[in-house]
Structure formats: structure tokens, C-alpha cells
Amino acid sequence: MTAAPSLQDGIDRAGSPVELLWKPGAAPWTPEVVEREYAGWRQEQTAWHDGVAILDLSHHMFDTVVEGPDATRLLTAVSANNYEKFAVGQAKQFIPVTEEGLIVTDGILLRESEQRYTLSGIPASQNWVKYHGEKGGYDVAFATDPSSAFRRGGDPKLFRYQIQGPGATALVEQVFGGPLPPTKFFHAATVTLAGRTFRALRHGMSGQAGFEFIGDWQHAQAVKDAFLTTGEQFGLIHVGALAYASASVESGWIPSPIPAVYSAPELAEYRQWVPLYGIEGQRPLNGSYFSENIEDYYCSPYELGYGRSISFNHDFIGREALQKAKDDVRRTKVTLVLDPEDVRRVRGPEADDYHLTYARHRVETPAGALVGMTMQSATLDPSGTILSLALIDRAHAKPGTQVTVTWGEHPGAGTAPDADLGFPKIRATVQPAPFDDHARTTYRRNA
């Protein structure tokens, strides 16, 4: 039987990592299986600001269980997190980096017991852990449940429902018949509902209160029905795929940085191990920003805002590079608030429609100097315009700074990266990430 092609096979056939990944006009990802809209994307976005919303996250993430006597030792070796301060029931933003100190892609790591962790999210970080676990001979076992887009039939192993918004606490207390056990942010407590036991992770997005409930799939429908039924008296809104995909723009989380694994010679064996038809070989690059060098798309955890979560109290892959880089970070994460008039001019009749893209668009000074790139853009109805999460040079990152976003699709190899292709420019104002109240007020619809 012919072996499945590897990521390295795909790169070799395409000619380069960028030629493998570059797909102008690529359709944006939205969560699998979940309806695109339930109440309408505008109402759904408003719900987590002004009311209460339920979001079904059961289908679009990979979950990998890492379990065994060496589980902590393995995770310590491949990530920059602090494991001396990692309690059972606590979750952390997982930070794996290469030897160069560049992000492999993050995830959410939940410690379920002394020797058992679940790593959830985009599978690039999970592949990194599994590869080093196998190569290093660690005494651990792995069990991966893919997303519904990659699972070959059947249901997920876990349900995952978020209850978000100012009304979240009141709804949750009504469903459970009283307050949940006191829980710190990003810590989980065990809860019981009608004899069904599962986890309640204290979580929130866009600065709003919230919980994430995680449990065995056999209880999924009963738990969801309990929230939907009780939620009627609270005006509970069911959030669909479109609105959900926009939440990360507002909350300041960059969901899909390019894994920095495509070019380093010492990672050739890793690229042979990673399958081509996975996230590393299939997640497209597109937009007005183009470079033939894949390394121009890499980023560090400092640029993504993870500096406070990095711990140097242990040895790990990339430790030395991160130590050298921490005082010399060129770019930072910001929110760009696109000028509503320019958005209407560029998008025309579609200006008021929902818009989502993961395109890397050029961010420039008004004089035309390149200062960064967008990472994700979405229409946020409460803001009245499109917001973009971007990485830009620190010298241009002060809130209120005026920049422009080049709106278009570079054709890729064969055309100069800085060629004048006649793409329109949209004026934008730099604001913090996560997006703040000042920017929301200033750029309110029809203001």
C-alpha cells in the first residue's frame, strides 16, 4: 500500500512552502456542522454583548489526550508554559515553539489529573507534542478525536458548549438550581445536571462573563436542551458559525498563525512525519500581502501577546531563542478599525453584508510604507464596520495611529510582492487588542 504523502512531499511537489499554501480568494473557514446562522449573525453577535448566547464548539476542534507517567515531562519539554504552577482542573494557553522561538500554533491545555491532559484546538500543536513524544520515547499514550471535518463518521467524543454574555451567570444558576462552585478564570469545576457529570470551565470572550461546559457526548443533547429550554426566559440566542468565527477578532485571539515548521533543515524529519492532508498542508494563505519566503509569515509568541505566560523555569525547545528575543520584539498585535465610508466604497452593495477573511492584507502608513499584515478580519455589527486583527511594527502601534489596509488578492508567484496591482486602500485606525470601548464608541454605526 502506498504511504500517504507527507507535508515535505507536498512542499517538494509544489516547489516551495508558499507555492503549496498560496490560494488567492480562498474561502474562509467557519465551524463545521453548526448552522451558519440561527437568529441572524447581527443578533447573535449582539447577544454576547448585551444578553446571553450559547455556542456549540463540539465539532470544529481536535482534542488530543496526553496520558501517562511522562505526560508532564513531555509537555514541559515541548512548551514554554509553567508546569510548577499548573493545578488539576486548570487550563492554559499552550505555547509550543521551534528552536528559533517561533510559534508552532497554540491550543488550550486542560490538566485533568496528575498524569492526564487534554490539548484542544488546531491540531498543529497536537502533532508537535505527539511527534516529540514518539521520537523521545516518553512513557505516554495519545488519543486524538479529530474535528467533524476530519473524523471518518461518528460523533465527537466530547460536547463543548459555551454560555456567554452579561446574562450568562443568571442563566447558569437557573439551570443548575444555584451558583456553581467558586472557580477562578480558566479553571474547571466538576458539576452535575440531572445525574450527568461534566466539567464547567470558567471562560469568557470579548470581556464578557461565561462558562464552557465539557462532557461525554452521550449527554450532549440533554445538556444543550436544558440550556435552550431554560434560556427562553432569558432571551438566550443560539450562535451560528458566522458570528462565532468573528468572536476571535473582537477578543484579540489570533486563531491560526502559520506554524513555523516549513523551512528549518532540522525539522525535515518532522515534515516527513506530518501528513500533507492536514492543517499544515491545507490551511491556505492569501491576501494582498505576499512573500515567496514562508518565514515572513512566521511569528513569535511575544507578538501574539503570550509573553506573560512564558516561563523560563525549565528547559524546553526554543528556550534560548525566546530568552534572546524577549527584549527585541519588532511587531505587536493590534485591532484595526476600518473606516466605514471606505468599506462601503470598496465593498459596494455588499458593504452591509457579513464579511470574514483570514487573508494576510498589507498594512501600510498613509505614505505607503509597509508596517505589518492583517491576520483575520470580520464584520462586527456592534462596531458598525470591519475589524482586523493585525501584527504591525511597534513604532506604528499606538492607539489612534492612522494606517491603510490594501484590500485585494495577490496572484502569487510570478508577480513581484510589492507590485502595484491597483488594489484599493482602506483607511484604518489602530486600537488595542482586545478591542476596547473607545474604539467601539468612536466607530459606532451611523455615528
Side-chain angles (χ1 to χ4, degrees):
M1 185 169 61
T2 304
S6 69
L7 176 62
Q8 187 62 56
D9 292 334
I11 293 171
D12 292 342
R13 292 172 189 170
S16 75
V18 172
E19 289 182 274
L20 171 67
L21 300 177
W22 194 258
K23 296 177 176 64
W29 170 88
T30 54
E32 300 90 17
V33 178
V34 177
E35 295 286 341
R36 287 171 64 81
E37 298 175 272
Y38 292 97
W41 63 270
R42 287 188 173 88
Q43 189 174 349
E44 292 164 19
Q45 287 180 341
T46 300
W48 68 67
H49 290 95
D50 300 334
V52 60
I54 182 170
L55 303 91
D56 186 348
L57 315 186
S58 308
H59 295 282
H60 72 271
M61 289 188 281
F62 279 60
D63 292 306
T64 292
V65 173
V66 184
E67 186 172 20
D70 288 344
T72 302
R73 189 167 71 88
L74 167 61
L75 293 166
T76 301
V78 299
S79 68
N81 298 92
N82 187 336
Y83 290 86
E84 292 181 1
K85 297 180 179 180
F86 202 153
V88 172
Q90 182 179 4
K92 293 190 177 187
Q93 202 87 31
F94 186 62
I95 309 172
V97 297
T98 65
E99 287 287 3
E100 291 79 21
L102 301 167
I103 197 76
V104 175
T105 290
D106 67 356
I108 300 298
L109 183 66
L110 174 65
R111 189 169 197 172
E112 297 189 38
S113 68
E114 288 299 321
Q115 297 184 1
R116 180 184 171 96
Y117 299 80
T118 296
L119 179 56
S120 304
I122 294 171
S125 61
Q126 298 170 37
N127 287 339
W128 185 257
V129 173
K130 289 190 283 187
Y131 170 78
H132 287 287
E134 294 174 9
K135 182 180 179 182
Y138 290 87
D139 186 3
V140 292
F142 301 104
T144 296
D145 184 30
S147 72
S148 292
F150 287 85
R151 189 183 304 106
R152 295 182 178 178
D155 296 321
K157 295 185 184 301
L158 299 174
F159 70 80
R160 184 178 276 106
Y161 302 130
Q162 280 190 6
I163 305 296
Q164 300 284 343
T169 299
L171 170 58
V172 168
E173 290 184 356
Q174 184 73 16
V175 169
F176 285 91
L180 298 187
T183 310
K184 296 179 180 179
F185 180 76
F186 241 41
H187 286 66
T190 300
V191 296
T192 301
L193 180 64
R196 303 174 180 89
T197 300
F198 47 97
R199 293 183 182 273
L201 177 67
R202 185 72 177 83
H203 190 23
M205 65 185 194
S206 302
Q208 301 297 341
F211 300 87
E212 187 170 302
F213 297 97
I214 308 166
D216 293 337
W217 182 257
Q218 61 179 321
H219 303 314
Q221 194 61 53
V223 172
K224 190 174 186 178
D225 287 346
F227 281 113
L228 290 175
T229 300
T230 304
E232 291 180 2
Q233 60 186 288
F234 293 88
L236 178 66
I237 298 295
H238 199 170
V239 173
L242 293 181
Y244 171 76
S246 70
S248 55
V249 174
E250 192 173 19
S251 65
W253 174 60
I254 293 177
S256 190
I258 289 295
V261 300
Y262 298 91
S263 53
E266 61 269 22
L267 292 180
E269 182 180 329
Y270 180 68
R271 293 190 292 272
Q272 288 287 0
W273 182 89
V274 172
L276 172 61
Y277 298 110
I279 195 74
E280 295 89 342
Q282 302 303 306
R283 181 62 63 90
L285 276 175
N286 65 295
S288 64
Y289 177 90
F290 173 76
S291 172
E292 294 186 352
N293 183 1
I294 191 66
E295 295 180 5
D296 288 337
Y297 296 92
Y298 294 169
C299 52
S300 82
Y302 294 117
E303 294 174 325
L304 298 174
Y306 299 152
R308 289 180 296 178
S309 299
I310 293 173
S311 173
F312 293 108
N313 66 358
H314 64 288
D315 192 23
F316 59 90
I317 296 171
R319 182 178 187 274
E320 183 177 348
L322 282 184
Q323 282 186 311
K324 291 179 179 178
K326 66 180 180 179
D327 296 322
D328 186 26
V329 181
R330 179 175 62 87
R331 299 181 302 181
T332 190
K333 178 176 61 177
V334 300
T335 303
L336 301 181
V337 183
L338 275 59
D339 182 84
E341 292 185 3
D342 283 5
V343 169
R344 285 191 286 270
R345 171 179 55 82
V346 170
R347 299 196 67 220
E350 298 179 352
D352 290 329
D353 295 341
Y354 179 82
H355 181 79
L356 171 71
T357 180
Y358 296 87
R360 269 58 169 180
H361 288 317
R362 291 174 64 93
V363 180
E364 301 175 350
T365 67
L370 179 67
V371 295
M373 72 175 81
T374 64
M375 302 294 284
Q376 183 187 2
S377 305
T379 305
L380 270 296
D381 192 61
S383 73
T385 188
I386 293 174
L387 304 183
S388 290
L389 274 181
L391 296 180
I392 68 173
D393 294 347
R394 285 182 174 274
H396 301 274
K398 183 179 178 181
T401 300
Q402 299 299 303
V403 295
T404 64
V405 176
T406 302
W407 206 254
E409 293 284 342
H410 193 286
T415 301
D418 59 352
D420 184 357
L421 301 175
F423 294 146
K425 310 279 187 178
I426 296 179
R427 292 170 295 174
T429 303
V430 174
Q431 294 292 356
F435 185 50
D436 68 0
D437 291 335
H438 169 73
R440 189 173 303 152
T441 300
T442 301
Y443 289 88
R444 184 172 46 205
R445 181 180 295 277
N446 297 326

